[in-house]
Amino acid sequence: MKNLNICIAGLGNVGSSVIKSIQENHSYLKDKSSIEFNILGISAKNKDKKRSINIEQFEWFDNPLELINIKKCDVLIELIGFEKDLSFDLIHAALSKKIHVVTGNKALIAKHGTELFNLADKNNCLLLYEAAVAGGIPIIKMIKNSLFLNKVKKISGILNGTTNYILTKMKEDNLNFDQVLSIAKEKGYTSDSESHLDIDGIDSAHKLTILSSLCFGSKLNFNNNEITGISKLKIDDIFYAEKLGYNIKLISEAYVMDNKIYSVTSPKLLDKNSPMANVNGVLNAINIETNHHENIFVEGEGAGGTATASSIISDLYEIVSNSKISSLGYKSKALIDLEKFHTNSISSSYYLRIMTKDIPGVLSNITSLFKDLEISIKKILQLPENNQSNSPIPIIITTHNVKKNQLIEAINKIELFDFVLEKISIISIDNDD
Ligand code: HSE
């Protein structure tokens, strides 16, 4: 029997769920793992906050930095969640004292991970972060352990539950973005202070940064991301995409090309029969292509206390198992610097929605401009929404593969036509030509 002495900083949904699970499953965990999980100390911003657990039995610390002074503390669980400041100081201090750290803090790992992993490696301890990516899905261990000796060709997925919920609900209930964002806040999926991280794609990009580093051995570099969120998506685009056989999802994808890293989070049209297009609500999912696998697809709960606590507990188990695998799989010193691959020269097919006046010459002007710029149109739809002669009409175009800079040149020219009434919606289409 091994004892694992734990301290926990941050008692929100995930922290409370970790304590609850360790309490409720104490003998099951002990029998199955031969580990006795002991919680030596806890800390949070507000001791008196109403929680689903009784915290009376644990020693309370107002200052989380004092947790690591507890004698025989083996592991600090950091769930405060600041991008730097106290979270960074606490993790740094713990690793400096050779205390292992488990965290769910994706922003901190994505932005300051390299320094902290170096420190962990130097002090021969682990900084684990299964909970930081896709909540309860054990994607980190899958890449770090089972797939480590594979060459990963590409990783892509839905890494943010809130935005996936918003897109799903907009489509199912025919609601606009702002309406569904309010519902998502009411349900507690996001909050006023944090929603921009979700809807602007930043949370997804934090997670993609961590996955890229694991898959490609690159230094954690958040600046390598190109990010477009979902706040400008219109219900009309969801509706027309569906008519064309697609669902719109916020997709994060990364691969290495010409020794540079392509790391992009943006809305995409996906074939509505593909598994990823059918990941709905707050679920997350990930596709991995390797030299051994055409595709591995995993789907599950990307957030929520109970599911995410599973990831935290799996990290505790890894620490005791002392797997000899370092925090990132790679020794942090072996990580390489990969430059950002700029997406302008990448080819993709695109969906465009052009709102125009209903007058003669609109289609011919647009199509001849595409011809001049050698952009091949795949489908074109003109769908008047009502019979009033003066109302704008949407022209929906999908293209064959075209380089992004070529498409942007065309869009800039089309937007100069008098008959174009608003900015053109442009969304890339996944795996289509
Ligand atoms: N805010 C995140 C999401 C959950 O909506 O997926 C935690 O990563």
Side-chain angles (χ1 to χ4, degrees), residues 303-331:
T306 311
T308 309
S310 156
S311 292
I312 300 276
I313 292 168
S314 78
D315 282 347
L316 297 177
Y317 183 60
E318 181 172 335
I319 286 168
V320 181
S321 311
N322 195 8
S323 64
K324 300 257 187 323
I325 295 172
S326 59
S327 307
L328 272 169
Y330 305 82
K331 285 283 171 216

PDB file of all heavy atoms in Angstrom, residues 303-331:
ATOM      1  N   ALA A 303     -15.923  18.885 -20.309  1.00  0.00           N
ATOM      2  CA  ALA A 303     -15.973  19.784 -19.152  1.00  0.00           C
ATOM      3  C   ALA A 303     -16.866  19.129 -18.102  1.00  0.00           C
ATOM      4  O   ALA A 303     -17.345  18.012 -18.283  1.00  0.00           O
ATOM      5  CB  ALA A 303     -16.525  21.135 -19.565  1.00  0.00           C
ATOM      6  N   GLY A 304     -17.071  19.858 -17.009  1.00  0.00           N
ATOM      7  CA  GLY A 304     -17.931  19.328 -15.945  1.00  0.00           C
ATOM      8  C   GLY A 304     -17.078  18.705 -14.858  1.00  0.00           C
ATOM      9  O   GLY A 304     -16.051  18.075 -15.137  1.00  0.00           O
ATOM     10  N   GLY A 305     -17.493  18.908 -13.621  1.00  0.00           N
ATOM     11  CA  GLY A 305     -16.699  18.485 -12.481  1.00  0.00           C
ATOM     12  C   GLY A 305     -16.404  16.999 -12.450  1.00  0.00           C
ATOM     13  O   GLY A 305     -15.243  16.576 -12.332  1.00  0.00           O
ATOM     14  N   THR A 306     -17.435  16.182 -12.577  1.00  0.00           N
ATOM     15  CA  THR A 306     -17.249  14.743 -12.377  1.00  0.00           C
ATOM     16  C   THR A 306     -16.315  14.153 -13.431  1.00  0.00           C
ATOM     17  O   THR A 306     -15.394  13.397 -13.106  1.00  0.00           O
ATOM     18  CB  THR A 306     -18.624  14.024 -12.430  1.00  0.00           C
ATOM     19  OG1 THR A 306     -19.507  14.740 -11.576  1.00  0.00           O
ATOM     20  CG2 THR A 306     -18.521  12.590 -11.984  1.00  0.00           C
ATOM     21  N   ALA A 307     -16.547  14.519 -14.697  1.00  0.00           N
ATOM     22  CA  ALA A 307     -15.697  13.977 -15.771  1.00  0.00           C
ATOM     23  C   ALA A 307     -14.261  14.481 -15.625  1.00  0.00           C
ATOM     24  O   ALA A 307     -13.298  13.713 -15.748  1.00  0.00           O
ATOM     25  CB  ALA A 307     -16.259  14.368 -17.132  1.00  0.00           C
ATOM     26  N   THR A 308     -14.101  15.760 -15.329  1.00  0.00           N
ATOM     27  CA  THR A 308     -12.748  16.325 -15.265  1.00  0.00           C
ATOM     28  C   THR A 308     -11.996  15.780 -14.052  1.00  0.00           C
ATOM     29  O   THR A 308     -10.770  15.598 -14.101  1.00  0.00           O
ATOM     30  CB  THR A 308     -12.816  17.867 -15.266  1.00  0.00           C
ATOM     31  OG1 THR A 308     -13.640  18.271 -16.368  1.00  0.00           O
ATOM     32  CG2 THR A 308     -11.444  18.491 -15.443  1.00  0.00           C
ATOM     33  N   ALA A 309     -12.738  15.475 -12.977  1.00  0.00           N
ATOM     34  CA  ALA A 309     -12.083  14.881 -11.802  1.00  0.00           C
ATOM     35  C   ALA A 309     -11.445  13.542 -12.170  1.00  0.00           C
ATOM     36  O   ALA A 309     -10.413  13.149 -11.612  1.00  0.00           O
ATOM     37  CB  ALA A 309     -13.100  14.702 -10.673  1.00  0.00           C
ATOM     38  N   SER A 310     -12.033  12.828 -13.124  1.00  0.00           N
ATOM     39  CA  SER A 310     -11.447  11.554 -13.579  1.00  0.00           C
ATOM     40  C   SER A 310     -10.029  11.797 -14.106  1.00  0.00           C
ATOM     41  O   SER A 310      -9.103  11.014 -13.841  1.00  0.00           O
ATOM     42  CB  SER A 310     -12.335  10.943 -14.670  1.00  0.00           C
ATOM     43  OG  SER A 310     -11.593  10.068 -15.480  1.00  0.00           O
ATOM     44  N   SER A 311      -9.860  12.887 -14.851  1.00  0.00           N
ATOM     45  CA  SER A 311      -8.533  13.196 -15.405  1.00  0.00           C
ATOM     46  C   SER A 311      -7.546  13.547 -14.301  1.00  0.00           C
ATOM     47  O   SER A 311      -6.374  13.155 -14.351  1.00  0.00           O
ATOM     48  CB  SER A 311      -8.638  14.356 -16.400  1.00  0.00           C
ATOM     49  OG  SER A 311      -9.354  13.925 -17.527  1.00  0.00           O
ATOM     50  N   ILE A 312      -8.006  14.294 -13.310  1.00  0.00           N
ATOM     51  CA  ILE A 312      -7.116  14.670 -12.197  1.00  0.00           C
ATOM     52  C   ILE A 312      -6.668  13.390 -11.459  1.00  0.00           C
ATOM     53  O   ILE A 312      -5.486  13.207 -11.157  1.00  0.00           O
ATOM     54  CB  ILE A 312      -7.860  15.604 -11.206  1.00  0.00           C
ATOM     55  CG1 ILE A 312      -8.315  16.889 -11.892  1.00  0.00           C
ATOM     56  CG2 ILE A 312      -7.021  15.855  -9.953  1.00  0.00           C
ATOM     57  CD1 ILE A 312      -7.315  17.985 -12.002  1.00  0.00           C
ATOM     58  N   ILE A 313      -7.633  12.518 -11.205  1.00  0.00           N
ATOM     59  CA  ILE A 313      -7.302  11.304 -10.442  1.00  0.00           C
ATOM     60  C   ILE A 313      -6.374  10.400 -11.265  1.00  0.00           C
ATOM     61  O   ILE A 313      -5.472   9.757 -10.727  1.00  0.00           O
ATOM     62  CB  ILE A 313      -8.604  10.596  -9.981  1.00  0.00           C
ATOM     63  CG1 ILE A 313      -9.295  11.491  -8.939  1.00  0.00           C
ATOM     64  CG2 ILE A 313      -8.320   9.215  -9.401  1.00  0.00           C
ATOM     65  CD1 ILE A 313     -10.700  11.098  -8.582  1.00  0.00           C
ATOM     66  N   SER A 314      -6.558  10.409 -12.583  1.00  0.00           N
ATOM     67  CA  SER A 314      -5.655   9.590 -13.417  1.00  0.00           C
ATOM     68  C   SER A 314      -4.222  10.124 -13.340  1.00  0.00           C
ATOM     69  O   SER A 314      -3.264   9.357 -13.394  1.00  0.00           O
ATOM     70  CB  SER A 314      -6.144   9.536 -14.866  1.00  0.00           C
ATOM     71  OG  SER A 314      -5.815  10.716 -15.558  1.00  0.00           O
ATOM     72  N   ASP A 315      -4.086  11.438 -13.194  1.00  0.00           N
ATOM     73  CA  ASP A 315      -2.737  12.015 -13.036  1.00  0.00           C
ATOM     74  C   ASP A 315      -2.132  11.619 -11.687  1.00  0.00           C
ATOM     75  O   ASP A 315      -0.925  11.359 -11.590  1.00  0.00           O
ATOM     76  CB  ASP A 315      -2.790  13.547 -13.150  1.00  0.00           C
ATOM     77  CG  ASP A 315      -2.903  14.027 -14.600  1.00  0.00           C
ATOM     78  OD1 ASP A 315      -2.696  13.205 -15.510  1.00  0.00           O
ATOM     79  OD2 ASP A 315      -3.196  15.214 -14.810  1.00  0.00           O
ATOM     80  N   LEU A 316      -2.970  11.571 -10.659  1.00  0.00           N
ATOM     81  CA  LEU A 316      -2.462  11.142  -9.342  1.00  0.00           C
ATOM     82  C   LEU A 316      -1.953   9.706  -9.453  1.00  0.00           C
ATOM     83  O   LEU A 316      -0.893   9.347  -8.929  1.00  0.00           O
ATOM     84  CB  LEU A 316      -3.571  11.234  -8.282  1.00  0.00           C
ATOM     85  CG  LEU A 316      -4.125  12.640  -8.001  1.00  0.00           C
ATOM     86  CD1 LEU A 316      -5.268  12.575  -6.993  1.00  0.00           C
ATOM     87  CD2 LEU A 316      -3.023  13.577  -7.496  1.00  0.00           C
ATOM     88  N   TYR A 317      -2.717   8.909 -10.179  1.00  0.00           N
ATOM     89  CA  TYR A 317      -2.329   7.504 -10.359  1.00  0.00           C
ATOM     90  C   TYR A 317      -1.005   7.402 -11.131  1.00  0.00           C
ATOM     91  O   TYR A 317      -0.124   6.610 -10.796  1.00  0.00           O
ATOM     92  CB  TYR A 317      -3.457   6.762 -11.093  1.00  0.00           C
ATOM     93  CG  TYR A 317      -3.198   5.290 -11.265  1.00  0.00           C
ATOM     94  CD1 TYR A 317      -3.009   4.464 -10.155  1.00  0.00           C
ATOM     95  CD2 TYR A 317      -3.139   4.716 -12.535  1.00  0.00           C
ATOM     96  CE1 TYR A 317      -2.752   3.110 -10.311  1.00  0.00           C
ATOM     97  CE2 TYR A 317      -2.891   3.365 -12.691  1.00  0.00           C
ATOM     98  CZ  TYR A 317      -2.694   2.573 -11.573  1.00  0.00           C
ATOM     99  OH  TYR A 317      -2.442   1.236 -11.721  1.00  0.00           O
ATOM    100  N   GLU A 318      -0.858   8.263 -12.142  1.00  0.00           N
ATOM    101  CA  GLU A 318       0.395   8.252 -12.920  1.00  0.00           C
ATOM    102  C   GLU A 318       1.584   8.613 -12.026  1.00  0.00           C
ATOM    103  O   GLU A 318       2.665   8.030 -12.154  1.00  0.00           O
ATOM    104  CB  GLU A 318       0.301   9.230 -14.100  1.00  0.00           C
ATOM    105  CG  GLU A 318       1.566   9.231 -14.953  1.00  0.00           C
ATOM    106  CD  GLU A 318       1.441  10.044 -16.243  1.00  0.00           C
ATOM    107  OE1 GLU A 318       0.334  10.225 -16.744  1.00  0.00           O
ATOM    108  OE2 GLU A 318       2.490  10.489 -16.741  1.00  0.00           O
ATOM    109  N   ILE A 319       1.375   9.543 -11.138  1.00  0.00           N
ATOM    110  CA  ILE A 319       2.478   9.954 -10.255  1.00  0.00           C
ATOM    111  C   ILE A 319       2.919   8.784  -9.379  1.00  0.00           C
ATOM    112  O   ILE A 319       4.110   8.501  -9.244  1.00  0.00           O
ATOM    113  CB  ILE A 319       2.054  11.174  -9.402  1.00  0.00           C
ATOM    114  CG1 ILE A 319       2.028  12.417 -10.307  1.00  0.00           C
ATOM    115  CG2 ILE A 319       2.988  11.384  -8.207  1.00  0.00           C
ATOM    116  CD1 ILE A 319       1.366  13.625  -9.703  1.00  0.00           C
ATOM    117  N   VAL A 320       1.941   8.084  -8.827  1.00  0.00           N
ATOM    118  CA  VAL A 320       2.317   6.970  -7.954  1.00  0.00           C
ATOM    119  C   VAL A 320       2.913   5.823  -8.771  1.00  0.00           C
ATOM    120  O   VAL A 320       3.857   5.158  -8.350  1.00  0.00           O
ATOM    121  CB  VAL A 320       1.102   6.458  -7.132  1.00  0.00           C
ATOM    122  CG1 VAL A 320       1.517   5.317  -6.225  1.00  0.00           C
ATOM    123  CG2 VAL A 320       0.528   7.591  -6.316  1.00  0.00           C
ATOM    124  N   SER A 321       2.385   5.625  -9.968  1.00  0.00           N
ATOM    125  CA  SER A 321       2.900   4.529 -10.804  1.00  0.00           C
ATOM    126  C   SER A 321       4.330   4.828 -11.239  1.00  0.00           C
ATOM    127  O   SER A 321       5.043   3.932 -11.680  1.00  0.00           O
ATOM    128  CB  SER A 321       2.049   4.340 -12.053  1.00  0.00           C
ATOM    129  OG  SER A 321       0.709   4.288 -11.708  1.00  0.00           O
ATOM    130  N   ASN A 322       4.723   6.100 -11.165  1.00  0.00           N
ATOM    131  CA  ASN A 322       6.091   6.516 -11.455  1.00  0.00           C
ATOM    132  C   ASN A 322       6.551   5.942 -12.792  1.00  0.00           C
ATOM    133  O   ASN A 322       7.503   5.181 -12.877  1.00  0.00           O
ATOM    134  CB  ASN A 322       7.004   6.046 -10.314  1.00  0.00           C
ATOM    135  CG  ASN A 322       8.337   6.757 -10.391  1.00  0.00           C
ATOM    136  OD1 ASN A 322       8.502   7.672 -11.186  1.00  0.00           O
ATOM    137  ND2 ASN A 322       9.275   6.321  -9.571  1.00  0.00           N
ATOM    138  N   SER A 323       5.817   6.336 -13.825  1.00  0.00           N
ATOM    139  CA  SER A 323       5.970   5.686 -15.128  1.00  0.00           C
ATOM    140  C   SER A 323       7.309   5.968 -15.821  1.00  0.00           C
ATOM    141  O   SER A 323       7.588   5.401 -16.854  1.00  0.00           O
ATOM    142  CB  SER A 323       4.844   6.158 -16.043  1.00  0.00           C
ATOM    143  OG  SER A 323       4.985   7.538 -16.251  1.00  0.00           O
ATOM    144  N   LYS A 324       8.097   6.850 -15.292  1.00  0.00           N
ATOM    145  CA  LYS A 324       9.382   7.232 -15.916  1.00  0.00           C
ATOM    146  C   LYS A 324       9.175   8.036 -17.198  1.00  0.00           C
ATOM    147  O   LYS A 324      10.111   8.453 -17.845  1.00  0.00           O
ATOM    148  CB  LYS A 324      10.275   6.018 -16.261  1.00  0.00           C
ATOM    149  CG  LYS A 324      10.679   5.159 -15.097  1.00  0.00           C
ATOM    150  CD  LYS A 324      12.133   5.463 -14.711  1.00  0.00           C
ATOM    151  CE  LYS A 324      12.722   4.556 -13.656  1.00  0.00           C
ATOM    152  NZ  LYS A 324      11.869   4.121 -12.587  1.00  0.00           N
ATOM    153  N   ILE A 325       7.927   8.197 -17.582  1.00  0.00           N
ATOM    154  CA  ILE A 325       7.676   9.043 -18.750  1.00  0.00           C
ATOM    155  C   ILE A 325       7.588  10.476 -18.231  1.00  0.00           C
ATOM    156  O   ILE A 325       6.904  10.736 -17.253  1.00  0.00           O
ATOM    157  CB  ILE A 325       6.357   8.634 -19.442  1.00  0.00           C
ATOM    158  CG1 ILE A 325       6.503   7.217 -19.996  1.00  0.00           C
ATOM    159  CG2 ILE A 325       5.988   9.615 -20.544  1.00  0.00           C
ATOM    160  CD1 ILE A 325       5.228   6.638 -20.522  1.00  0.00           C
ATOM    161  N   SER A 326       8.294  11.395 -18.900  1.00  0.00           N
ATOM    162  CA  SER A 326       8.298  12.747 -18.343  1.00  0.00           C
ATOM    163  C   SER A 326       6.965  13.432 -18.662  1.00  0.00           C
ATOM    164  O   SER A 326       6.143  12.909 -19.401  1.00  0.00           O
ATOM    165  CB  SER A 326       9.486  13.537 -18.859  1.00  0.00           C
ATOM    166  OG  SER A 326       9.423  13.592 -20.247  1.00  0.00           O
ATOM    167  N   SER A 327       6.805  14.612 -18.106  1.00  0.00           N
ATOM    168  CA  SER A 327       5.488  15.269 -18.151  1.00  0.00           C
ATOM    169  C   SER A 327       4.943  15.410 -19.565  1.00  0.00           C
ATOM    170  O   SER A 327       3.758  15.263 -19.822  1.00  0.00           O
ATOM    171  CB  SER A 327       5.589  16.655 -17.522  1.00  0.00           C
ATOM    172  OG  SER A 327       6.163  16.567 -16.248  1.00  0.00           O
ATOM    173  N   LEU A 328       5.830  15.721 -20.500  1.00  0.00           N
ATOM    174  CA  LEU A 328       5.386  15.944 -21.884  1.00  0.00           C
ATOM    175  C   LEU A 328       5.679  14.746 -22.789  1.00  0.00           C
ATOM    176  O   LEU A 328       5.512  14.827 -23.990  1.00  0.00           O
ATOM    177  CB  LEU A 328       6.122  17.154 -22.457  1.00  0.00           C
ATOM    178  CG  LEU A 328       5.490  18.517 -22.224  1.00  0.00           C
ATOM    179  CD1 LEU A 328       6.465  19.606 -22.604  1.00  0.00           C
ATOM    180  CD2 LEU A 328       4.208  18.684 -23.011  1.00  0.00           C
ATOM    181  N   GLY A 329       6.138  13.660 -22.207  1.00  0.00           N
ATOM    182  CA  GLY A 329       6.597  12.549 -23.046  1.00  0.00           C
ATOM    183  C   GLY A 329       8.036  12.813 -23.431  1.00  0.00           C
ATOM    184  O   GLY A 329       8.928  12.034 -23.146  1.00  0.00           O
ATOM    185  N   TYR A 330       8.289  13.939 -24.050  1.00  0.00           N
ATOM    186  CA  TYR A 330       9.649  14.361 -24.404  1.00  0.00           C
ATOM    187  C   TYR A 330      10.298  14.971 -23.165  1.00  0.00           C
ATOM    188  O   TYR A 330       9.613  15.569 -22.345  1.00  0.00           O
ATOM    189  CB  TYR A 330       9.623  15.479 -25.446  1.00  0.00           C
ATOM    190  CG  TYR A 330       8.862  15.155 -26.687  1.00  0.00           C
ATOM    191  CD1 TYR A 330       7.476  15.287 -26.744  1.00  0.00           C
ATOM    192  CD2 TYR A 330       9.538  14.731 -27.829  1.00  0.00           C
ATOM    193  CE1 TYR A 330       6.781  14.994 -27.904  1.00  0.00           C
ATOM    194  CE2 TYR A 330       8.844  14.444 -28.985  1.00  0.00           C
ATOM    195  CZ  TYR A 330       7.463  14.573 -29.010  1.00  0.00           C
ATOM    196  OH  TYR A 330       6.783  14.291 -30.155  1.00  0.00           O
ATOM    197  N   LYS A 331      11.611  14.896 -23.076  1.00  0.00           N
ATOM    198  CA  LYS A 331      12.312  15.741 -22.103  1.00  0.00           C
ATOM    199  C   LYS A 331      12.114  17.174 -22.577  1.00  0.00           C
ATOM    200  O   LYS A 331      12.241  17.448 -23.782  1.00  0.00           O
ATOM    201  CB  LYS A 331      13.816  15.401 -22.095  1.00  0.00           C
ATOM    202  CG  LYS A 331      14.123  14.093 -21.392  1.00  0.00           C
ATOM    203  CD  LYS A 331      14.053  14.286 -19.875  1.00  0.00           C
ATOM    204  CE  LYS A 331      14.135  12.946 -19.152  1.00  0.00           C
ATOM    205  NZ  LYS A 331      13.309  12.890 -17.954  1.00  0.00           N
TER     206      LYS A 331
END
